[in-house]
């Protein structure tokens, strides 16, 4: 079934960061089936070649872009090249990100900088780069990928929580600022799903083990998350929370009873500490 976004977009042109694998590639697959032209941006150019072949076979028109999202100048140049080649832009998905975990006291300033640069400032770069192009084209969609961690604030995830909360705050701000320009902004906040976020995870081995365990318990795939997010964007949803049965409990619990929710995190910290001790 075609995407609703396909019907409303003038020329079906998208630019997606972190497109070589995981959720980014899942977004590309759904758009490719509708024949979109997709700027597939990733720092890992070797994985991009294989991913682009798959997207082409599905019916999409891939344009490979080797890009480090922390490089604002490179981002601007890549976006300009894509828009010039395709005549415009209809959908931007700032998806590139790093996983991070471990007790706060064991984190380093270098780790904080590296994850903030990708997870938060990488999204800032994408927004600053593409908003003028979206305005010039009369509007479109700007989708920023965060996580339910933006709300949940789970223990032993301080760096990740802070960066994703920042993406949520930025997206809500831009939703208001860009509403009169025909640009719809959404922030995607899924819970754990099966992906490869543990591959480049920043933090101790215990954090990687916990992330892998949580993903293994999930029955949610990247393709499901991507399809839901694209449908929600077409419906003009600002907060894309998925799956609803789990994530919305956290969403409303935190909003309605914040003190009670945060006190409950103490139990989760004890469970996480016990898991780390068993893993080591």
């Amino acid at each position: 079934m075609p995407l609703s976004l396909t019907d409303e977009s003038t020329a079906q042109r998208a630019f997606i960061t972190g497109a070589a694998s995981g959720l980014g590639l899942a977004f590309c697959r759904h758009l490719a089936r509708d024949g979109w032209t997709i700027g597939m941006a990733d720092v890992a150019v070797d994985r991009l070649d294989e991913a682009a072949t798959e997207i082409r076979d599905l019916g999409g028109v891939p344009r490979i872009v080797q890009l480090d999202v922390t490089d604002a100048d490179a981002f601007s140049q890549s976006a300009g090249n894509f828009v010039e080649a395709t005549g415009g832009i209809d959908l931007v998905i700032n998806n590139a990100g790093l996983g991070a975990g471990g007790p706060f006291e064991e984190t380093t300033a270098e780790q904080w900088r590296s994850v903030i640069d990708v997870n938060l400032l990488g999204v800032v770069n994408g927004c600053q780069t593409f908003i003028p192009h979206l305005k010039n084209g009369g509007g479109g969609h700007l989708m920023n990928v965060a996580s339910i961690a933006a709300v949940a604030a789970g223990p032993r995830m301080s760096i990740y929580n802070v960066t994703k909360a920042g993406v949520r705050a930025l997206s809500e701000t831009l939703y208001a600022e860009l509403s009169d320009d025909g640009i719809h902004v959404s922030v995607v906040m899924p819970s754990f799903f099966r992906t490869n976020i543990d591959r480049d995870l920043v933090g101790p081995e215990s954090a990687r083990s916990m992330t892998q365990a949580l993903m293994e318990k999930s029955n949610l795939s990247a393709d499901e998350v991507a399809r839901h997010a694209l449908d929600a964007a077409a419906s003009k949803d600002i907060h894309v929370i998925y799956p609803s049965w789990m994530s919305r409990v956290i969403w409303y619990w935190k909003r309605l009873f914040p003190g009670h929710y945060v006190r409950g995190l103490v139990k989760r910290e004890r469970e996480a500490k016990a898991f780390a001790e068993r893993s080591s």
Side-chain angles (χ1 to χ4, degrees):
M1 182 177 179
L3 296 163
S4 298
L5 277 178
T6 300
D7 295 331
E8 67 178 62
S9 299
T10 56
Q12 293 85 51
R13 299 155 301 192
F15 192 97
I16 303 172
T17 64
S21 60
L23 183 59
L25 182 53
F27 280 122
C28 294
R29 290 188 184 110
H30 286 295
L31 296 170
R33 295 185 182 101
D34 285 357
W36 283 61
T37 298
I38 308 167
M40 298 180 65
D42 205 293
V43 70
V45 69
D46 55 330
R47 294 198 297 267
L48 269 176
D49 289 331
E50 182 178 352
T53 298
E54 178 185 357
I55 294 310
R56 191 176 295 108
D57 291 343
L58 287 172
V61 182
R63 299 185 65 88
I64 291 178
V65 182
Q66 184 175 14
L67 176 64
D68 179 350
V69 297
T70 69
D71 187 335
D73 291 337
F75 213 140
S76 179
Q77 181 175 355
S78 296
N81 292 342
F82 179 82
V83 170
E84 182 179 1
T86 61
I89 184 74
D90 302 288
L91 169 66
V92 177
I93 304 180
N94 289 308
N95 165 76
L98 290 173
F104 171 76
E105 290 180 276
E106 296 180 14
T107 62
T108 66
E110 182 180 2
Q111 289 174 334
W112 276 91
R113 280 190 290 268
S114 66
V115 181
I116 288 174
D117 280 350
V118 176
N119 287 10
L120 181 54
L121 295 181
V123 175
V124 170
N125 289 338
C127 292
Q128 289 186 326
T129 293
F130 271 107
I131 285 172
H133 293 298
L134 288 165
K135 285 185 175 181
N136 289 339
H141 292 266
L142 176 62
M143 182 186 297
N144 297 325
V145 177
S147 163
I148 197 61
V151 180
R156 303 191 172 223
M157 295 176 60
S158 57
I159 305 178
Y160 193 74
N161 293 341
V162 168
T163 59
K164 295 306 183 179
V167 171
R168 175 194 164 192
L170 172 64
S171 302
E172 291 173 345
T173 303
L174 293 179
Y175 178 86
E177 292 185 6
L178 301 176
S179 59
D180 291 338
D181 296 299
I183 301 173
H184 172 68
V185 179
S186 59
V187 54
V188 183
M189 296 184 285
S191 60
F192 279 97
F193 60 94
R194 297 189 300 277
T195 185
N196 58 351
I197 194 171
D198 60 311
R199 182 179 57 206
D200 300 314
L201 188 140
V202 176
E205 187 59 35
S206 60
R208 188 184 311 277
S209 298
M210 180 173 290
T211 300
Q212 291 171 341
L214 289 168
M215 288 193 298
E216 288 172 4
K217 288 174 61 178
S218 174
N219 60 359
L220 192 63
S221 70
D223 280 352
E224 291 174 284
V225 174
R227 178 70 196 219
H228 180 86
L230 292 168
D231 288 342
S235 300
K236 302 297 190 293
D237 294 343
I238 167 64
H239 300 118
V240 182
I241 302 170
Y242 192 72
S244 58
W245 63 270
M246 178 189 300
S247 300
R248 287 193 179 276
V249 169
I250 297 173
W251 174 256
Y252 286 111
W253 185 8
K254 180 73 174 289
R255 287 168 64 89
L256 297 174
F257 309 103
H260 184 268
Y261 175 84
V262 173
R263 286 191 294 272
L265 294 178
V266 174
K267 178 181 178 181
R268 292 183 59 189
E269 160 58 16
R270 290 168 181 160
E271 293 171 346
K273 183 177 181 180
F275 181 92
E277 289 173 349
R278 291 195 301 270
S279 298
S280 62

